[in-house]
Amino acid sequence: MKKILIAMTLILGLGLSSFACSAAAPGGIAVSPGSPAADIWIAGDSVAGGVHYYLRTPGIYNAAKGGNGFLHQLEGTIPTYALERLALPAALDGPTYMIVQGTVTDYQLNFEEVTATMAAFEAELLARGIVVIWLTTPIGNYPAMPQWLERTNGWMLQRQYVMDCNTAIVRYAGFPDQIHPSREGFRAYADCIDTKLAETISQIEN
């Protein structure tokens, strides 16, 4: 019954606007990350945190942290930061779904080591009964970054559940700092996620 309600909420929520969503909103806007009791979380770096601000799907908790990678550390790594959030009493038994983006800050590290860590994180979440939905990163033009993200996005595309939102529409909107999408790009990225998330959860539950 819970899963049916999640799918219904996703579909109905696409027509709603949700602005109080992300502690890492573009433009330095400080807003709530949402509730860790939510059934859907998003983990990753500042790209995940930024797009969270624009998502129309209601109730997604922002477990992303800017600067973190899967091996590169700013305040922990993507896995350790998310697992720390899962340990919060307010997280209850954890979400049903975890959207996972990342790898931007890992671009100077070893591909095999990074992807092994990604696979281990996925296995850890699956062992907790959390379904992982990978999310590709829009590819900007920061030196050496495009080749790296092509490889890590390609790795994600081989996983069981993945949303490929590295779309031409997002890229066409530009990357002001060569890494993060513009506001228009973030909106297009969010639109893609909203649509594909509803489709993916429907696929999983049916």
Side-chain angles (χ1 to χ4, degrees):
M1 183 64 177
K2 183 179 182 183
K3 289 185 177 180
I4 293 171
L5 289 174
I6 293 170
M8 289 174 64
T9 301
L10 279 167
I11 293 166
L12 292 172
L14 293 181
L16 301 175
S17 177
S18 178
F19 294 105
C21 298
S22 171
I29 301 170
V31 288
S32 171
S35 170
D39 248 353
I40 305 172
W41 287 23
I42 185 168
D45 53 36
S46 56
V47 174
V51 77
H52 181 261
Y53 177 74
Y54 293 102
L55 293 172
R56 291 175 293 142
T57 303
I60 297 178
Y61 176 64
N62 181 8
K65 183 66 179 178
N68 283 357
F70 285 93
L71 287 179
H72 179 271
Q73 299 190 39
L74 181 64
E75 295 184 22
T77 62
I78 290 169
T80 59
Y81 191 80
L83 292 172
E84 286 170 2
R85 310 277 83 67
L86 284 170
L88 295 172
L92 304 176
D93 58 351
T96 302
Y97 301 102
M98 180 82 74
I99 302 166
V100 184
Q101 174 273 339
T103 79
V104 173
T105 61
D106 294 312
Y107 79 103
Q108 292 180 314
L109 302 178
N110 181 273
F111 175 78
E112 285 72 25
E113 291 180 6
V114 171
T115 51
T117 303
M118 294 164 72
F121 182 44
E122 180 179 47
E124 169 84 17
L125 294 175
L126 290 174
R128 293 169 177 245
I130 300 170
V131 178
V132 175
I133 303 173
W134 293 95
L135 172 64
T136 60
T137 301
I139 298 177
N141 55 356
Y142 190 83
M145 192 72 72
Q147 299 90 333
W148 171 258
L149 290 179
E150 288 282 2
R151 293 187 73 190
T152 54
N153 282 349
W155 182 92
M156 292 181 189
L157 291 171
Q158 303 303 312
R159 312 312 284 180
Q160 185 173 11
Y161 301 115
V162 59
M163 299 184 293
D164 186 9
C165 289
N166 173 38
T167 67
I169 295 173
V170 176
R171 295 193 302 272
Y172 183 76
F175 299 81
D177 63 358
Q178 299 183 292
I179 296 173
H180 299 88
S182 64
R183 288 180 183 273
E184 294 75 17
F186 266 124
R187 289 190 183 96
Y189 193 41
D191 286 345
C192 175
I193 295 168
D194 284 323
T195 299
K196 293 194 174 184
L197 181 60
E199 293 172 351
T200 302
I201 289 180
S202 177
Q203 172 193 348
I204 294 168
E205 298 187 354
N206 295 316

